[in-house]
């Protein structure tokens, strides 16, 4: 086992996950390819969404891949950081909105 | 910023660059041989399809010192094409059916015989392309009339603008370059360049400001057109997306920043046989400032002369021999064949 859980070189091996379960991996990669193709949203728009989601799910491989992809697709640094703030706002908001549940419970229990 | 040559960097030497590219002793990783890759694609030996574009590098002198420059051009470079060599080019152009003359540098306008050369090419009825860095137009009052000069001679202007904002452009090309470029683009627009129906063509060139590949040309063109029109009222015709070649100053950047292996790997993995079939060296001949002949501007900077034993200088120009030559290849050629391909006219696939 390598001494750290994340190794940048492992990103290049993503395609090899089919080694242990080819059928499901093939289905995933076909799906993945179709998701990121031009559609109702452009491939460029999808790249920025992917960059934001990468931060929300805190996947270093995805952050690496979609930082490059967003640069290649012509986004500015400021646009990329704004996308990260969108992810952060949703994550923060998602935490905070659960505060309503906490408040509901507290009020239910309180005299 | 000084040129690599003026700062006496070992990377200013073509032989050292080739040693790095060929992994003889300096790089950590071996990359597949480009010629072998072309063989797999059924394109080796790579042959010309004829000479349609006569590209003339009239000198390495430039008012800018861009971080990615494959010429290592700058104010400290003195290599400049003489009028005698230009006349030899004109002799070839007047006796051969080569339709396009593509004038590059450095800043080609800094060559004292530049305007005369353009006028003579115009008299020969050639289509003329000038690779103008934009800032030269506003650098000195003696260049302010260049847009009008270009209009009079129906020159197609091709200008580098690495990005549609100041931050990324200035990081690559120097502080203040974006602002000056915008000013120059407005001057070109004012005389009719890039305006519908004028017939005056203004094309821009995008190349990534770092160790990554360009996105699709069409997508970038859309972004550039919108941003430049919305913010500055600037219009242009086409955007050419060009990949940075691992040569000279960009190679220096790749090595200094630890990006060399990753970038080469990306180029190699993005090899596209279709892009390879359309590379510019097949229909272009490149003339160096001293009259030496090359397959392209990159081979010129790496001092890899054409493989045509009795036709290596413009004064020995032999069309038949040149049309039958094998194009000289090396590892930097991966830069022209990655993804949608890259040439002085943008994508090749």
């Amino acid at each position: 086992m390598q001494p750290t859980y994340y190794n940048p070189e492992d990103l290049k091996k993503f395609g090899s996950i089919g080694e242990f379960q080819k059928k499901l991996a093939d289905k995933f990669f076909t799906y993945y390819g179709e998701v990121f193709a031009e559609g109702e949203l452009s491939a460029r728009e999808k790249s920025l969404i992917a960059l934001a989601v990468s931060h929300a799910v805190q996947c270093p491989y995805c952050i690496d891949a979609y930082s490059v992809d967003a640069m290649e697709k012509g986004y500015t640094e400021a646009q990329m950081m704004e996308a990260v703030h969108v992810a952060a706002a949703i994550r923060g908001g998602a935490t905070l909105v659960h505060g309503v549940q906490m408040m509901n419970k507290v009020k239910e229990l309180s005299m | 910023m000084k040129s690599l040559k003026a700062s006496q960097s070992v990377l200013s030497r073509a032989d050292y660059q080739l040693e790095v590219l060929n992994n003889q002793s300096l790089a950590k990783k071996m990359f597949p041989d480009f010629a072998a890759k072309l063989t797999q694609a059924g394109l080796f030996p790579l042959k010309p399809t004829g000479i349609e574009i006569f590209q003339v590098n009239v000198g390495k002198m430039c008012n800018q010192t861009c971080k990615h420059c494959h010429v290592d051009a700058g104010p400290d470079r003195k290599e400049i094409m003489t009028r005698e060599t230009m006349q030899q080019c004109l002799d070839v152009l007047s006796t051969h059916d080569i339709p396009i003359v593509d004038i590059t540098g450095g800043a080609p306008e800094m060559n004292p015989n530049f305007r005369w050369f353009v006028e003579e090419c115009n008299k020969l009825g050639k289509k003329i392309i000038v690779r103008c860095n934009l800032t030269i137009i506003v650098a000195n009052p003696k260049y302010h009339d260049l847009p009008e000069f270009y209009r009079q001679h129906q020159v197609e202007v091709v200008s580098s603008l690495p990005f549609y904002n100041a931050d990324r452009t200035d990081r690559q090309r120097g502080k203040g370059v974006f602002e000056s470029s915008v000013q120059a683009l407005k001057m070109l627009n004012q005389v009719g360049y890039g305006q519908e129906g004028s017939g005056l063509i203004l094309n821009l060139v995008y190349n990534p400001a770092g160790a990554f590949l360009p996105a699709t040309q069409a997508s970038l063109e859309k972004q550039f057109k919108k941003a430049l029109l919305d913010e500055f009222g600037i219009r242009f015709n086409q955007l050419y997306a060009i990949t940075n070649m691992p040569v000279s100053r960009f190679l220096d950047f790749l090595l200094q920043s630890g990006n060399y292996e990753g970038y080469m790997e990306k180029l190699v993995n993005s090899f596209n046989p279709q892009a390879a079939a359309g590379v510019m060296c097949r229909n272009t001949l490149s003339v160096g400032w001293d009259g030496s002949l090359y397959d392209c501007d990159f081979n010129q900077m790496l001092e890899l002369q054409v493989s045509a034993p009795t036709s290596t200088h413009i004064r020995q120009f032999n069309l038949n021999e040149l049309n039958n030559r094998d194009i000289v290849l090396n590892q930097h050629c991966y830069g022209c064949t990655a993804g949608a391909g890259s040439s002085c006219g943008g994508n090749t696939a």
Side-chain angles (χ1 to χ4, degrees):
Chain A
M1 194 75 183
Q2 62 194 31
T4 58
Y5 285 109
Y6 289 121
N7 178 355
E9 287 298 308
D10 286 347
L11 177 56
K12 294 174 198 158
K13 299 177 193 164
F14 186 24
S16 71
I17 58 157
E19 198 181 308
F20 282 10
Q21 227 303 356
K22 186 168 179 341
K23 193 174 148 194
L24 293 177
D26 287 348
K27 281 177 189 282
F28 171 80
F29 285 118
T30 303
Y31 168 75
Y32 192 96
E34 284 183 24
V35 164
F36 282 95
E38 295 284 334
E40 296 298 319
L41 295 175
S42 67
R44 184 168 186 267
E45 288 166 325
K46 290 173 185 181
S47 176
L48 197 63
I49 295 170
L51 180 70
V53 175
S54 303
H55 286 77
V57 299
Q58 295 179 324
C59 167
Y61 303 117
C62 312
I63 293 170
D64 183 334
Y66 284 96
S67 296
V68 176
D69 196 58
M71 293 275 284
E72 288 183 347
K73 289 194 163 60
Y75 285 108
T76 64
E77 285 83 344
Q79 288 168 331
M80 289 162 69
M81 188 54 86
E82 274 188 35
V84 174
H85 277 288
V86 170
I90 293 294
R91 279 195 74 126
T95 304
L96 212 50
V97 75
H98 284 81
V100 178
Q101 287 192 7
M102 175 271 287
M103 287 163 69
N104 289 343
K105 190 67 185 173
V106 167
K107 285 176 183 170
E108 182 189 309
L109 296 172
S110 300
M111 291 176 77
Chain B
M1 185 175 142
K2 280 184 182 177
S3 66
L4 291 172
K5 190 177 182 190
S7 54
Q8 296 181 316
S9 163
V10 70
L11 267 173
S12 67
R13 281 175 26 210
D15 63 333
Y16 187 84
Q17 292 179 52
L18 288 167
E19 203 180 339
V20 172
L21 288 165
N22 289 294
N23 287 303
Q24 293 306 304
S25 56
L26 301 160
K28 293 173 203 144
K29 203 164 178 176
M30 288 293 285
F31 295 102
D33 183 59
F34 182 76
K37 202 90 171 173
L38 271 196
T39 304
Q40 283 168 17
L43 287 165
F44 186 82
L46 191 64
K47 304 295 281 187
T49 54
I51 302 173
E52 285 172 59
I53 303 171
F54 190 88
Q55 189 170 64
V56 191
N57 192 314
V58 297
K60 299 186 179 186
M61 194 181 283
C62 192
N63 60 318
Q64 291 182 182
T65 325
C66 305
K67 279 186 188 161
H68 72 298
C69 183
H70 69 279
V71 180
D72 191 28
D76 56 51
R77 298 301 300 260
K78 306 300 176 209
E79 299 90 333
I80 208 106
M81 184 177 275
T82 62
R83 188 153 168 150
E84 185 194 357
T85 305
M86 284 180 172
Q87 186 58 59
Q88 289 165 350
C89 291
L90 293 168
D91 293 344
V92 167
L93 289 165
S94 63
T95 49
H96 294 84
D97 184 22
I98 303 171
I100 303 169
V101 184
D102 184 339
I103 307 171
T104 186
E109 299 90 341
M110 291 178 83
N111 183 312
N113 295 302
F114 167 76
R115 293 192 194 215
W116 168 78
F117 187 59
V118 169
E119 284 161 5
E120 294 302 309
C121 289
N122 197 30
K123 284 182 199 163
L124 294 173
K126 306 292 178 183
K127 176 181 170 178
I128 305 162
I129 298 170
V130 172
R131 304 212 168 245
C132 170
N133 72 12
L134 294 174
T135 62
I136 191 72
I137 294 174
V138 293
N140 183 306
K142 71 178 176 181
Y143 299 121
H144 287 358
D145 68 330
L146 277 170
E148 180 56 27
F149 174 78
Y150 289 145
R151 186 192 69 74
Q152 281 171 11
H153 297 86
Q154 296 289 296
V155 169
E156 179 177 315
V157 177
V158 179
S159 294
S160 277
L161 189 69
F163 210 55
Y164 51 80
N165 71 14
D167 180 47
R168 210 176 284 178
T169 301
D170 287 3
R171 264 190 279 143
Q172 186 182 89
R173 294 175 84 80
K175 201 167 161 38
V177 164
F178 184 76
E179 200 185 327
S180 298
S181 300
V182 164
Q183 208 183 328
L185 284 168
K186 285 181 176 171
M187 288 164 76
L188 285 161
N189 275 178
Q190 271 163 15
V191 299
Y193 273 96
Q195 310 288 3
E196 211 174 319
S198 71
L200 297 168
I201 304 298
L202 170 61
N203 293 328
L204 297 185
V205 177
Y206 162 90
N207 60 286
F212 55 95
L213 299 186
T216 63
Q217 196 164 271
S219 147
L220 288 165
E221 183 178 289
K222 209 168 143 187
Q223 292 168 52
F224 267 68
K225 282 199 165 165
K226 187 175 181 335
L228 292 178
L229 185 64
D230 289 356
E231 288 183 45
F232 309 104
I234 289 168
R235 293 178 193 276
F236 67 95
N237 295 92
Q238 275 184 278
L239 184 82
Y240 298 151
I242 294 188
T243 302
N244 288 313
M245 293 293 134
V247 169
S248 193
R249 269 188 225 146
F250 189 68
L251 179 59
D252 183 45
F253 157 75
L254 291 174
L255 293 168
Q256 300 278 351
S257 62
N259 278 302
Y260 175 73
E261 270 84 14
Y263 189 73
M264 284 303 292
E265 196 160 39
K266 191 150 198 173
L267 292 182
V268 172
N269 292 341
S270 309
F271 176 81
N272 177 357
Q274 259 188 303
V279 281
M280 62 182 166
C281 47
R282 301 191 79 180
N283 68 350
T284 303
L285 184 73
S286 163
V287 188
W289 67 274
D290 61 353
S292 299
L293 302 183
Y294 303 89
D295 298 300
C296 71
D297 212 43
F298 304 110
N299 278 8
Q300 187 180 138
M301 300 315 147
L302 290 169
E303 297 170 12
L304 298 168
Q305 283 198 323
V306 281
S307 171
T310 65
S311 193
T312 56
H313 192 277
I314 191 64
R315 76 174 87 85
Q316 309 161 310
F317 186 91
N318 178 328
L319 184 64
N320 193 42
E321 193 183 44
L322 288 164
N323 275 342
N324 287 299
R325 75 195 194 271
D326 288 349
I327 291 165
V328 178
L329 308 166
N330 212 291
Q331 297 302 82
H332 64 294
C333 301
Y334 275 115
C336 285
T337 57
S342 179
S343 75
C344 288
N347 288 172
T348 61

